[in-house]
Amino acid sequence: MFTGIVTDVGKLLKVEDRNDGRVLRIGTVYDAASIDMGASITNDGICLTVTDKGNENGQNWFEVFAALETLAVTQVGKWQAGRRVNLERSLKIGDELGGHIVSGHIDGMAEIVDKKETGEQITYTFAVSDAVAPFIAKKGSVALNGTSLTVNDVEGNRFSVHLIPYTVEVTSWGDYGVGDSVNIEIDPMARYAARLFETLGDFRK
């Protein structure tokens, strides 16, 4: 379980392609000694399991494995060494819930169709698939590349979010422009509400 509050911007150090997926080595400020094997860390919003860790020349790193299913629903298959990655470690009992409940299970991709910069602030507009669009609500929450953000406006299958200077500074959001696609996870509350209405409809038949 996560909150969409990015706690480090890691760097993709190495990629190993295999016939069953990809191994990703991520450089991080997290103390490698504090990362448990098998721990869950979100990488641009994708919950991945730590399979190895270490420290080389003062650089902490951990490795995760992206299976074929992950490659099919995200753009991890296109990631190259040098990419900056938003990271968040899983919640512990007693941690502050600063964003919203995030599972790290990606629902699809959101394409950036507009980017407006005002000083150090950025407003992005995204387009999503018809399957995802009904779950996006004005003033609701959405996780984009692992960042908990509030939806400003919604029109059809497009919506916008506004990033304050602090968010731009402590995430990789400044790297993205029009035409780029990011991972989107809808608010679990919206998913459960939709399922409830679907179930109630079945009972009424």
Side-chain angles (χ1 to χ4, degrees):
M1 193 68 68
F2 308 89
T3 69
I5 302 299
V6 175
T7 52
D8 182 31
V9 179
K11 183 177 181 180
L12 183 55
L13 302 176
K14 185 173 67 173
V15 177
E16 178 189 347
D17 288 307
R18 302 182 353 188
N19 61 4
D20 59 345
R22 302 187 104 194
V23 177
L24 311 172
R25 177 172 292 191
I26 310 292
T28 180
V29 298
Y30 299 152
D31 182 2
S34 72
I35 301 174
D36 293 332
M37 294 293 291
S40 295
I41 297 178
T42 58
N43 297 256
D44 272 359
I46 309 165
C47 179
L48 296 171
T49 300
V50 174
T51 58
D52 200 0
K53 62 178 183 175
N55 181 294
E56 293 181 6
N57 301 318
Q59 172 67 73
N60 291 300
W61 57 266
F62 64 89
E63 287 187 353
V64 291
F65 178 69
L68 295 179
E69 173 63 20
T70 301
L71 302 184
V73 299
T74 70
Q75 292 198 322
V76 173
K78 298 180 180 179
W79 288 7
Q80 299 297 323
R83 177 189 177 89
R84 297 204 303 158
V85 183
N86 294 325
L87 303 176
E88 182 187 356
R89 300 177 72 168
S90 57
L91 280 172
K92 296 182 176 65
I93 298 298
D95 284 352
E96 179 179 349
L97 186 61
H100 72 281
I101 296 297
V102 175
S103 68
H105 301 155
I106 303 303
D107 292 295
M109 305 302 298
E111 180 185 356
I112 299 172
V113 294
D114 190 48
K115 176 181 181 180
K116 289 186 172 64
E117 298 183 62
T118 306
E120 297 178 344
Q121 305 176 64
I122 303 176
T123 299
Y124 284 105
T125 301
F126 299 89
V128 294
S129 69
D130 292 341
V132 172
F135 297 96
I136 309 297
K138 185 174 181 177
K139 304 305 178 185
S141 296
V142 66
L144 296 165
N145 269 12
T147 313
S148 175
L149 296 168
T150 300
V151 176
N152 284 355
D153 292 295
V154 180
E155 184 175 348
N157 70 336
R158 296 190 175 197
F159 69 94
S160 64
V161 299
H162 183 77
L163 279 66
I164 63 174
Y166 178 79
T167 303
V168 176
E169 178 184 352
V170 301
T171 67
S172 64
W173 274 103
D175 299 349
Y176 307 125
V178 173
D180 290 332
S181 293
V182 301
N183 300 314
I184 182 170
E185 180 186 334
I186 58 178
D187 188 341
M189 296 297 291
R191 184 185 289 109
Y192 287 126
R195 177 56 180 161
L196 176 61
F197 281 113
E198 178 185 335
T199 303
L200 289 174
D202 290 340
F203 285 146
R204 289 169 180 164
K205 292 179 181 179

